[in-house]
């Protein structure tokens, strides 16, 4: 079913993009989840700078994993909106979200005027 303002071909292209992003994020999240596990270092064998570096890397991986989880949920929500025929409509004002915006941010739930993703 085509959503208001979007052709079926556009919806098909956007669905393919959503699927690609989900696959990419799934792969990325697997790597960052493993890297975000607590750091265990032999205090006697590893210098202080190396421990600090390892902890910083672990915190950055945890942060990336958290961002990826948020985007993953937004992509799933976009697919649900697509299945319900509300994809491409701003969740706040109800206006059509331009196709160009959806190409860049296929998970967008809001138009640029209302802001947000």
């Amino acid at each position: 079913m085509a959503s208001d303002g979007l052709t079926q071909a556009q919806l098909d292209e956007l669905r393919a993009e959503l699927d690609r992003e989900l696959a990419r994020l799934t792969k990325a999240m697997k790597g960052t989840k493993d890297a975000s596990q607590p750091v265990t270092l032999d205090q006697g064998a590893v210098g202080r700078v190396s421990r600090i570096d390892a902890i910083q890397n672990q915190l950055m991986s945890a942060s990336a994993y958290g961002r990826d989880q948020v985007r993953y949920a937004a992509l799933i929500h976009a697919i649900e909106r697509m299945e319900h025929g509300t994809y491409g409509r701003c969740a706040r004002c109800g206006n059509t979200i331009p196709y160009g915006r959806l190409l860049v941010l296929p998970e967008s739930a809001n138009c640029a005027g209302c802001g947000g993703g």
Side-chain angles (χ1 to χ4, degrees), residues 39-110:
V39 176
T40 54
L41 299 170
D42 179 0
Q43 298 294 321
V46 179
R48 181 173 161 251
V49 173
S50 294
R51 286 192 306 269
I52 291 170
D53 189 46
I55 291 168
Q56 285 178 330
N57 286 338
Q58 182 248 336
L59 291 172
M60 287 177 10
S61 291
S63 177
Y65 183 71
R67 281 191 309 272
D68 287 347
Q69 283 182 308
V70 169
R71 181 139 194 253
Y72 186 89
L75 291 166
I76 293 294
H77 189 240
I79 290 171
E80 290 170 354
R81 289 192 317 273
M82 195 174 275
E83 290 170 355
H84 290 101
T86 59
Y87 183 79
R89 285 243 161 244
C90 179
R92 291 188 184 156
C93 71
N95 287 334
T96 300
I97 301 172
Y99 176 66
R101 177 174 173 81
L102 293 170
L103 277 176
V104 175
L105 294 168
E107 70 273 22
S108 293
N110 300 312

Side-chain angles (χ1 to χ4, degrees), residues 3 5-22 75 78-79 82 87-88 97-108:
S3 295
L6 296 172
T7 67
Q8 188 60 51
Q10 290 172 327
L11 283 171
D12 292 344
E13 182 178 1
L14 291 165
R15 176 58 193 252
E17 181 60 25
L18 288 166
D19 290 339
R20 277 190 298 274
E21 281 300 304
L22 280 173
L75 291 166
I79 290 171
M82 195 174 275
Y87 183 79
I97 301 172
Y99 176 66
R101 177 174 173 81
L102 293 170
L103 277 176
V104 175
L105 294 168
E107 70 273 22
S108 293

